[in-house]
Coordinates of all heavy atoms in Angstrom, one line a residue:
D1 N -4.7 -1.9 0.8 CA -3.7 -3.0 1.2 C -4.4 -4.3 1.3 O -3.8 -5.3 1.5 CB -3.1 -2.6 2.6 CG -4.0 -2.6 3.8 OD1 -5.3 -2.7 3.6 OD2 -3.5 -2.6 4.9
G2 N -5.7 -4.4 1.1 CA -6.4 -5.7 1.0 C -6.9 -6.2 2.3 O -7.6 -7.2 2.3
Q3 N -6.5 -5.6 3.5 CA -7.0 -6.1 4.8 C -8.5 -6.0 4.8 O -9.1 -6.9 5.4 CB -6.4 -5.2 5.9 CG -4.9 -5.4 6.0 CD -4.5 -6.8 6.5 OE1 -5.3 -7.6 7.0 NE2 -3.2 -7.1 6.4
W4 N -9.1 -5.0 4.3 CA -10.6 -4.8 4.3 C -11.2 -6.0 3.6 O -12.2 -6.5 4.0 CB -11.0 -3.5 3.7 CG -10.7 -3.3 2.3 CD1 -9.5 -2.7 1.8 CD2 -11.5 -3.6 1.2 NE1 -9.6 -2.7 0.4 CE2 -10.8 -3.3 0.0 CE3 -12.7 -4.2 1.0 CZ2 -11.3 -3.5 -1.3 CZ3 -13.2 -4.4 -0.2 CH2 -12.5 -4.0 -1.4
A5 N -10.7 -6.4 2.4 CA -11.2 -7.5 1.7 C -11.1 -8.8 2.5 O -12.1 -9.6 2.5 CB -10.5 -7.6 0.3
R6 N -10.0 -9.0 3.1 CA -9.9 -10.2 4.0 C -10.8 -10.2 5.1 O -11.4 -11.2 5.5 CB -8.4 -10.3 4.5 CG -7.5 -10.9 3.5 CD -6.2 -11.3 4.1 NE -5.4 -10.2 4.5 CZ -4.3 -9.8 4.0 NH1 -3.7 -10.6 3.1 NH2 -3.6 -8.8 4.3
A7 N -11.0 -9.0 5.7 CA -12.0 -8.9 6.8 C -13.4 -9.2 6.4 O -14.1 -9.9 7.1 CB -11.9 -7.5 7.5
L8 N -13.8 -8.7 5.2 CA -15.1 -9.0 4.7 C -15.3 -10.5 4.4 O -16.3 -11.1 4.6 CB -15.4 -8.1 3.5 CG -15.7 -6.7 3.7 CD1 -15.7 -5.9 2.4 CD2 -16.9 -6.5 4.5
G9 N -14.2 -11.1 3.9 CA -14.2 -12.5 3.6 C -14.4 -13.3 4.8 O -15.1 -14.3 4.8
L10 N -13.6 -13.0 5.9 CA -13.7 -13.7 7.1 C -15.1 -13.5 7.7 O -15.7 -14.5 8.3 CB -12.7 -13.2 8.1 CG -11.3 -13.6 7.9 CD1 -10.3 -12.9 8.8 CD2 -11.1 -15.1 8.1
L11 N -15.7 -12.3 7.6 CA -17.1 -12.1 8.1 C -18.0 -13.0 7.4 O -18.9 -13.7 8.0 CB -17.4 -10.6 8.0 CG -18.8 -10.3 8.6 CD1 -18.8 -10.4 10.1 CD2 -19.2 -8.8 8.1
A12 N -17.9 -13.1 6.1 CA -18.8 -13.9 5.3 C -18.6 -15.4 5.7 O -19.6 -16.1 5.8 CB -18.6 -13.7 3.8
D13 N -17.4 -15.8 5.8 CA -17.1 -17.2 6.2 C -17.7 -17.5 7.6 O -18.3 -18.6 7.8 CB -15.6 -17.5 6.2 CG -15.0 -17.5 4.9 OD1 -15.7 -17.6 3.8 OD2 -13.7 -17.4 4.8
M14 N -17.6 -16.6 8.5 CA -18.1 -16.8 9.8 C -19.7 -16.9 9.8 O -20.3 -17.8 10.5 CB -17.7 -15.7 10.8 CG -16.3 -15.8 11.2 SD -15.9 -14.7 12.6 CE -15.5 -13.2 11.6
A15 N -20.3 -16.1 9.0 CA -21.7 -16.2 8.8 C -22.2 -17.5 8.2 O -23.1 -18.1 8.7 CB -22.2 -15.0 7.9
L16 N -21.4 -18.0 7.2 CA -21.7 -19.3 6.6 C -21.6 -20.4 7.6 O -22.3 -21.4 7.6 CB -20.9 -19.5 5.4 CG -21.2 -18.7 4.2 CD1 -20.2 -18.9 3.1 CD2 -22.6 -19.1 3.6
A17 N -20.6 -20.3 8.5 CA -20.3 -21.3 9.5 C -21.3 -21.1 10.7 O -21.1 -21.9 11.7 CB -18.9 -21.2 10.0
R18 N -22.2 -20.2 10.6 CA -23.2 -19.9 11.7 C -22.6 -19.5 13.0 O -23.1 -19.8 14.1 CB -24.1 -21.1 11.8 CG -24.9 -21.4 10.6 CD -25.9 -22.5 10.8 NE -26.5 -23.0 9.6 CZ -27.6 -22.4 9.1 NH1 -28.2 -21.3 9.6 NH2 -28.1 -22.9 8.0
V19 N -21.4 -18.8 12.9 CA -20.8 -18.2 14.1 C -21.8 -17.1 14.5 O -22.3 -16.3 13.7 CB -19.4 -17.6 13.8 CG1 -18.9 -16.8 14.9 CG2 -18.5 -18.8 13.4
D20 N -21.9 -16.9 15.8 CA -22.8 -15.9 16.4 C -22.0 -14.5 16.2 O -21.2 -14.2 17.0 CB -23.1 -16.2 17.8 CG -24.1 -15.2 18.4 OD1 -24.9 -14.6 17.6 OD2 -24.2 -15.1 19.6
L21 N -22.4 -13.8 15.2 CA -21.7 -12.5 14.9 C -22.2 -11.5 15.9 O -23.3 -11.4 16.2 CB -22.0 -12.1 13.5 CG -21.6 -13.0 12.4 CD1 -22.0 -12.5 11.0 CD2 -20.1 -13.3 12.4
D22 N -21.2 -10.7 16.5 CA -21.6 -9.7 17.4 C -20.9 -8.4 17.1 O -20.3 -8.3 16.0 CB -21.1 -10.2 18.8 CG -19.6 -10.4 19.0 OD1 -18.9 -10.0 18.1 OD2 -19.2 -11.0 20.0
T23 N -21.1 -7.4 17.9 CA -20.6 -6.0 17.7 C -19.1 -6.0 17.5 O -18.6 -5.3 16.7 CB -21.1 -5.1 18.8 OG1 -22.5 -5.1 18.8 CG2 -20.7 -3.7 18.5
I24 N -18.4 -6.8 18.3 CA -17.0 -6.8 18.3 C -16.5 -7.3 17.0 O -15.6 -6.7 16.4 CB -16.4 -7.7 19.5 CG1 -16.8 -7.0 20.8 CG2 -14.9 -7.9 19.3 CD1 -16.5 -7.9 22.0
I25 N -17.1 -8.3 16.4 CA -16.6 -8.9 15.1 C -16.9 -7.8 14.0 O -16.1 -7.6 13.2 CB -17.4 -10.2 14.8 CG1 -16.9 -11.3 15.8 CG2 -17.2 -10.6 13.4 CD1 -17.7 -12.6 15.8
Y26 N -18.1 -7.2 14.1 CA -18.4 -6.2 13.1 C -17.5 -5.0 13.2 O -17.1 -4.4 12.2 CB -19.9 -5.8 13.2 CG -20.8 -6.6 12.3 CD1 -21.4 -7.8 12.7 CD2 -21.0 -6.2 11.0 CE1 -22.2 -8.5 11.9 CE2 -21.8 -7.0 10.1 CZ -22.4 -8.1 10.6 OH -23.2 -8.9 9.8
N27 N -17.2 -4.6 14.5 CA -16.3 -3.4 14.7 C -15.0 -3.7 14.0 O -14.4 -2.7 13.4 CB -16.2 -3.1 16.1 CG -17.3 -2.3 16.7 OD1 -18.2 -1.9 16.0 ND2 -17.3 -2.2 18.0
A28 N -14.5 -4.9 14.1 CA -13.2 -5.2 13.5 C -13.3 -5.1 12.0 O -12.3 -4.5 11.4 CB -12.7 -6.6 13.9
T29 N -14.4 -5.5 11.5 CA -14.5 -5.5 10.0 C -14.8 -4.0 9.5 O -14.2 -3.6 8.5 CB -15.7 -6.3 9.6 OG1 -15.6 -7.7 10.1 CG2 -15.8 -6.5 8.1
V30 N -15.6 -3.3 10.3 CA -15.8 -1.8 10.0 C -14.4 -1.1 10.0 O -14.1 -0.3 9.1 CB -16.8 -1.2 11.0 CG1 -16.8 0.3 10.9 CG2 -18.2 -1.8 10.7
S31 N -13.6 -1.4 11.0 CA -12.4 -0.7 11.2 C -11.4 -1.0 10.0 O -10.8 -0.1 9.5 CB -11.7 -1.1 12.5 OG -10.4 -0.5 12.6
A32 N -11.4 -2.3 9.6 CA -10.6 -2.7 8.4 C -11.0 -1.9 7.2 O -10.2 -1.5 6.4 CB -10.6 -4.2 8.2
C33 N -12.3 -1.9 7.0 CA -12.9 -1.2 5.8 C -12.6 0.3 5.9 O -12.3 1.0 4.9 CB -14.4 -1.4 5.7 SG -14.7 -3.1 5.1
E34 N -12.7 0.9 7.1 CA -12.4 2.3 7.2 C -11.0 2.6 6.9 O -10.6 3.5 6.1 CB -12.7 2.7 8.7 CG -12.3 4.2 9.0 CD -11.2 4.2 10.1 OE1 -11.4 3.6 11.1 OE2 -10.2 5.0 9.9
Q35 N -10.1 1.8 7.4 CA -8.6 2.0 7.1 C -8.3 1.8 5.6 O -7.4 2.4 5.1 CB -7.8 1.0 8.0 CG -7.8 1.4 9.4 CD -7.2 0.4 10.3 OE1 -6.4 -0.4 9.9 NE2 -7.5 0.4 11.6
G36 N -9.1 0.9 4.9 CA -9.0 0.7 3.5 C -9.7 1.7 2.7 O -9.8 1.6 1.4
R37 N -10.3 2.7 3.3 CA -11.1 3.8 2.6 C -12.2 3.3 1.8 O -12.5 3.7 0.7 CB -10.1 4.6 1.7 CG -9.0 5.3 2.5 CD -8.0 5.9 1.6 NE -6.9 6.5 2.3 CZ -6.8 7.8 2.7 NH1 -7.8 8.6 2.4 NH2 -5.8 8.2 3.4
Q38 N -12.9 2.3 2.4 CA -14.1 1.7 1.8 C -15.4 2.2 2.5 O -16.1 1.4 3.1 CB -13.9 0.2 1.8 CG -12.7 -0.4 1.2 CD -12.7 -0.1 -0.3 OE1 -13.7 -0.3 -1.0 NE2 -11.6 0.3 -0.8
W39 N -15.7 3.4 2.3 CA -16.8 4.0 3.0 C -18.1 3.3 2.7 O -19.0 3.2 3.6 CB -16.9 5.5 2.8 CG -17.2 5.9 1.3 CD1 -16.3 6.2 0.4 CD2 -18.5 6.0 0.8 NE1 -17.0 6.5 -0.8 CE2 -18.3 6.4 -0.6 CE3 -19.8 5.9 1.3 CZ2 -19.4 6.6 -1.4 CZ3 -20.9 6.1 0.4 CH2 -20.7 6.5 -0.9
A40 N -18.4 3.0 1.4 CA -19.6 2.3 1.0 C -19.8 1.0 1.7 O -20.9 0.6 2.2 CB -19.7 2.2 -0.5
K41 N -18.7 0.3 1.9 CA -18.7 -1.0 2.5 C -19.0 -0.8 4.0 O -19.7 -1.6 4.6 CB -17.5 -1.8 2.3 CG -17.3 -2.2 0.8 CD -16.3 -3.2 0.5 CE -16.1 -3.5 -0.9 NZ -17.1 -3.3 -1.9
V42 N -18.4 0.2 4.6 CA -18.7 0.5 6.0 C -20.2 0.8 6.2 O -20.8 0.3 7.1 CB -17.9 1.7 6.5 CG1 -18.4 2.2 7.8 CG2 -16.4 1.4 6.5
L43 N -20.8 1.6 5.3 CA -22.2 1.9 5.5 C -23.1 0.6 5.3 O -24.1 0.4 6.0 CB -22.6 2.9 4.5 CG -22.0 4.3 4.7 CD1 -22.5 5.3 3.7 CD2 -22.3 4.8 6.1
R44 N -22.7 -0.3 4.4 CA -23.4 -1.5 4.3 C -23.3 -2.4 5.5 O -24.3 -3.0 6.0 CB -22.8 -2.3 3.1 CG -23.5 -3.6 2.8 CD -24.9 -3.4 2.5 NE -25.6 -4.7 2.8 CZ -26.9 -4.8 2.7 NH1 -27.7 -3.8 2.3 NH2 -27.5 -5.9 3.0
L45 N -22.1 -2.4 6.2 CA -22.0 -3.1 7.4 C -22.8 -2.5 8.5 O -23.5 -3.3 9.3 CB -20.5 -3.1 7.8 CG -19.6 -4.0 7.0 CD1 -18.1 -3.7 7.3 CD2 -19.8 -5.5 7.2
L46 N -22.9 -1.2 8.6 CA -23.8 -0.6 9.6 C -25.3 -1.0 9.3 O -26.0 -1.2 10.3 CB -23.7 0.9 9.5 CG -22.4 1.6 9.9 CD1 -22.5 3.1 9.9 CD2 -22.0 1.1 11.3
T47 N -25.7 -1.0 8.1 CA -27.0 -1.5 7.7 C -27.2 -2.9 8.2 O -28.3 -3.2 8.8 CB -27.3 -1.3 6.2 OG1 -27.1 0.0 5.8 CG2 -28.7 -1.8 5.8
D48 N -26.3 -3.8 7.9 CA -26.4 -5.2 8.3 C -26.5 -5.3 9.8 O -27.3 -6.1 10.3 CB -25.2 -6.0 7.8 CG -25.1 -6.1 6.3 OD1 -26.1 -5.9 5.6 OD2 -24.0 -6.5 5.8
M49 N -25.7 -4.5 10.5 CA -25.8 -4.5 12.0 C -27.2 -4.0 12.5 O -27.7 -4.6 13.4 CB -24.7 -3.6 12.6 CG -23.3 -4.1 12.4 SD -22.1 -3.0 13.0 CE -22.3 -3.2 14.8
A50 N -27.7 -3.0 11.9 CA -29.0 -2.5 12.3 C -30.1 -3.5 12.0 O -31.0 -3.7 12.9 CB -29.3 -1.2 11.6
V51 N -30.0 -4.2 10.9 CA -31.0 -5.2 10.6 C -30.9 -6.3 11.6 O -32.0 -6.9 12.0 CB -30.8 -5.7 9.1 CG1 -31.6 -7.0 8.9 CG2 -31.2 -4.7 8.1
A52 N -29.7 -6.7 12.0 CA -29.5 -7.7 13.0 C -29.8 -7.2 14.4 O -29.6 -8.0 15.4 CB -28.1 -8.3 12.9
R53 N -30.2 -6.0 14.5 CA -30.5 -5.3 15.8 C -29.3 -5.3 16.8 O -29.4 -5.6 18.0 CB -31.7 -5.9 16.5 CG -32.9 -5.8 15.7 CD -34.1 -6.4 16.3 NE -35.2 -6.4 15.4 CZ -36.4 -5.7 15.6 NH1 -36.5 -5.0 16.8 NH2 -37.3 -5.7 14.8
M54 N -28.1 -5.1 16.2 CA -26.9 -5.0 17.0 C -26.7 -3.6 17.4 O -27.2 -2.6 16.8 CB -25.7 -5.4 16.2 CG -25.6 -6.9 15.9 SD -24.0 -7.2 15.1 CE -24.4 -8.8 14.4
D55 N -25.9 -3.4 18.5 CA -25.7 -2.1 19.1 C -24.6 -1.4 18.2 O -23.5 -1.9 18.0 CB -25.1 -2.3 20.5 CG -24.8 -0.9 21.1 OD1 -25.5 0.0 20.8 OD2 -23.9 -0.9 22.0
L56 N -25.0 -0.2 17.7 CA -24.0 0.6 16.9 C -23.4 1.5 18.0 O -23.9 2.6 18.3 CB -24.7 1.5 15.9 CG -25.5 0.7 14.8 CD1 -26.2 1.7 13.8 CD2 -24.6 -0.2 14.0
N57 N -22.3 1.0 18.5 CA -21.6 1.8 19.6 C -20.7 2.9 19.1 O -20.6 3.1 17.9 CB -20.9 0.8 20.6 CG -19.8 0.0 19.9 OD1 -19.2 0.5 18.9 ND2 -19.5 -1.1 20.4
T58 N -20.1 3.5 20.0 CA -19.2 4.7 19.7 C -18.1 4.2 18.8 O -17.7 5.0 17.8 CB -18.7 5.3 21.0 OG1 -19.7 5.7 21.8 CG2 -17.8 6.5 20.7
T59 N -17.5 3.1 19.0 CA -16.4 2.6 18.2 C -16.9 2.4 16.7 O -16.2 2.8 15.8 CB -15.9 1.3 18.7 OG1 -15.4 1.5 20.1 CG2 -14.7 0.7 17.9
T60 N -18.0 1.8 16.6 CA -18.6 1.6 15.3 C -18.8 2.9 14.5 O -18.4 3.1 13.4 CB -19.9 0.8 15.4 OG1 -19.8 -0.3 16.2 CG2 -20.4 0.4 14.0
L61 N -19.5 3.8 15.2 CA -19.8 5.0 14.6 C -18.6 5.9 14.3 O -18.6 6.6 13.3 CB -20.9 5.8 15.4 CG -22.2 5.0 15.5 CD1 -23.1 5.6 16.6 CD2 -22.9 5.0 14.1
K62 N -17.6 5.9 15.2 CA -16.4 6.7 14.9 C -15.7 6.3 13.6 O -15.3 7.1 12.8 CB -15.5 6.7 16.1 CG -15.8 7.6 17.2 CD -14.9 7.4 18.4 CE -13.5 7.6 18.1 NZ -12.6 7.5 19.3
S63 N -15.6 5.0 13.5 CA -15.0 4.4 12.3 C -15.8 4.8 11.0 O -15.3 5.1 10.0 CB -14.8 2.9 12.4 OG -13.9 2.5 13.3
A64 N -17.1 4.7 11.2 CA -18.0 5.0 10.0 C -17.9 6.5 9.6 O -17.8 6.8 8.5 CB -19.4 4.7 10.3
V65 N -17.9 7.4 10.6 CA -17.7 8.8 10.4 C -16.4 9.1 9.7 O -16.3 9.8 8.7 CB -17.9 9.6 11.7 CG1 -17.4 11.1 11.5 CG2 -19.3 9.6 12.2
K66 N -15.3 8.5 10.2 CA -14.0 8.7 9.6 C -13.9 8.2 8.2 O -13.4 8.8 7.3 CB -12.9 8.0 10.5 CG -11.5 8.4 10.0 CD -10.5 7.8 11.0 CE -9.1 8.1 10.5 NZ -8.1 7.5 11.4
A67 N -14.5 7.0 7.9 CA -14.5 6.5 6.6 C -15.3 7.4 5.6 O -14.8 7.6 4.5 CB -15.2 5.1 6.6
C68 N -16.4 7.9 6.0 CA -17.2 8.8 5.2 C -16.4 10.1 5.0 O -16.5 10.7 3.9 CB -18.6 9.0 5.8 SG -19.6 7.6 5.6
E69 N -15.8 10.6 6.0 CA -15.1 11.9 5.9 C -13.9 11.7 4.9 O -13.7 12.5 4.0 CB -14.5 12.2 7.3 CG -13.7 13.5 7.3 CD -13.2 13.8 8.7 OE1 -13.4 13.0 9.7 OE2 -12.5 14.8 8.8
I70 N -13.1 10.6 5.1 CA -12.0 10.4 4.2 C -12.5 10.2 2.7 O -11.9 10.7 1.8 CB -11.2 9.2 4.6 CG1 -10.5 9.5 5.9 CG2 -10.3 8.7 3.5 CD1 -9.9 8.2 6.6
G71 N -13.7 9.6 2.6 CA -14.3 9.4 1.3 C -15.0 10.6 0.7 O -15.5 10.5 -0.4
G72 N -14.9 11.7 1.4 CA -15.6 12.9 0.9 C -17.1 12.8 0.9 O -17.7 13.6 0.1
Q73 N -17.6 12.0 1.7 CA -19.1 11.9 1.8 C -19.7 12.7 2.9 O -20.1 12.2 4.0 CB -19.4 10.4 2.0 CG -18.9 9.5 0.9 CD -19.4 9.8 -0.4 OE1 -20.6 10.0 -0.6 NE2 -18.5 9.9 -1.4
C74 N -19.7 14.0 2.7 CA -20.1 15.0 3.7 C -21.5 14.7 4.2 O -21.8 14.7 5.4 CB -20.0 16.4 3.2 SG -18.3 16.9 2.9
D75 N -22.5 14.4 3.3 CA -23.8 14.2 3.7 C -23.9 12.9 4.6 O -24.7 13.0 5.6 CB -24.7 14.0 2.4 CG -25.0 15.2 1.6 OD1 -24.7 16.3 2.2 OD2 -25.4 15.1 0.5
K76 N -23.2 11.9 4.2 CA -23.3 10.7 5.0 C -22.6 10.9 6.4 O -23.1 10.4 7.4 CB -22.5 9.5 4.3 CG -23.2 9.1 3.0 CD -24.5 8.5 3.2 CE -25.1 8.1 1.9 NZ -26.5 7.8 2.0
T77 N -21.6 11.7 6.4 CA -20.9 12.0 7.7 C -21.9 12.8 8.6 O -22.0 12.5 9.8 CB -19.6 12.9 7.4 OG1 -18.7 12.2 6.6 CG2 -18.9 13.3 8.7
L78 N -22.6 13.8 8.0 CA -23.5 14.5 8.8 C -24.7 13.7 9.3 O -25.1 13.8 10.5 CB -24.1 15.7 8.0 CG -23.0 16.8 7.7 CD1 -23.6 17.8 6.8 CD2 -22.5 17.4 9.0
E79 N -25.1 12.7 8.5 CA -26.2 11.8 8.9 C -25.8 11.0 10.1 O -26.5 10.8 11.0 CB -26.6 10.9 7.7 CG -27.4 11.6 6.6 CD -27.7 10.7 5.5 OE1 -27.6 9.4 5.6 OE2 -27.9 11.2 4.4
L80 N -24.5 10.5 10.0 CA -24.0 9.6 11.1 C -23.9 10.4 12.4 O -24.2 10.0 13.5 CB -22.7 9.0 10.7 CG -22.8 7.9 9.7 CD1 -21.4 7.6 9.1 CD2 -23.4 6.6 10.3
L81 N -23.4 11.7 12.2 CA -23.2 12.5 13.4 C -24.6 12.8 14.0 O -24.7 12.8 15.3 CB -22.5 13.8 13.1 CG -21.0 13.6 12.7 CD1 -20.4 14.9 12.2 CD2 -20.2 13.2 14.0
A82 N -25.6 13.1 13.2 CA -26.9 13.4 13.7 C -27.4 12.1 14.4 O -28.1 12.2 15.5 CB -27.8 13.7 12.6
Y83 N -27.2 10.9 13.9 CA -27.6 9.7 14.5 C -26.9 9.6 15.9 O -27.6 9.2 16.9 CB -27.3 8.5 13.7 CG -27.6 7.2 14.3 CD1 -28.9 6.7 14.3 CD2 -26.6 6.4 15.0 CE1 -29.2 5.5 14.9 CE2 -26.9 5.2 15.6 CZ -28.2 4.8 15.6 OH -28.5 3.6 16.2
M84 N -25.6 9.9 16.0 CA -24.9 9.8 17.2 C -25.5 10.7 18.3 O -25.5 10.4 19.5 CB -23.4 10.1 17.0 CG -22.7 9.0 16.2 SD -21.0 9.5 15.8 CE -20.2 9.5 17.4
W85 N -25.9 11.9 17.9 CA -26.4 12.8 18.8 C -27.9 12.7 19.2 O -28.4 13.4 20.0 CB -26.2 14.3 18.3 CG -24.7 14.6 18.4 CD1 -23.8 14.2 19.3 CD2 -24.0 15.4 17.4 NE1 -22.5 14.7 18.9 CE2 -22.6 15.4 17.8 CE3 -24.4 16.1 16.3 CZ2 -21.7 16.1 17.1 CZ3 -23.4 16.8 15.6 CH2 -22.1 16.8 16.0
S86 N -28.6 11.8 18.5 CA -30.0 11.6 18.7 C -30.3 10.6 19.9 O -29.4 10.0 20.4 CB -30.7 11.1 17.5 OG -30.3 9.8 17.1

């Protein structure tokens, strides 16, 4: 539906405008990508969050797990679940 592309565009625009990106902003973008079945983009966002030392909270990880599950990415789903339980 294109919402995920708009969310990624807004995130990029905010970064260029030097907005202080936080977990809430990333969670909204992760959720849009999950709903758009964009599992690879979700994983990229998680990587970006980790690099920025942001908290990967339950909301973030649930969306990521769901995106990977829908995308048929069993290995990635298991990796995320293992991370959640560690």
Side-chain angles (χ1 to χ4, degrees):
D1 70 346
Q3 293 291 347
W4 63 269
R6 278 195 288 245
L8 287 172
L10 285 171
L11 183 68
D13 289 347
M14 286 189 276
L16 287 173
R18 300 187 188 273
V19 171
D20 188 22
L21 302 176
D22 60 15
T23 303
I24 294 168
I25 293 168
Y26 269 93
N27 280 351
T29 309
V30 166
S31 179
C33 289
E34 174 243 311
Q35 290 173 19
R37 301 175 182 263
Q38 301 296 316
W39 66 268
K41 296 194 182 336
V42 168
L43 294 180
R44 179 63 205 174
L45 289 167
L46 292 186
T47 300
D48 293 347
M49 290 177 75
V51 167
R53 298 178 188 244
M54 288 185 198
D55 182 31
L56 300 178
N57 62 25
T58 304
T59 302
T60 312
L61 293 167
K62 279 176 56 177
S63 288
V65 166
K66 187 173 179 185
C68 289
E69 180 184 0
I70 290 169
Q73 302 300 311
C74 295
D75 289 344
K76 298 295 183 191
T77 302
L78 292 173
E79 287 174 23
L80 288 167
L81 289 172
Y83 175 82
M84 289 172 71
W85 290 325
S86 65

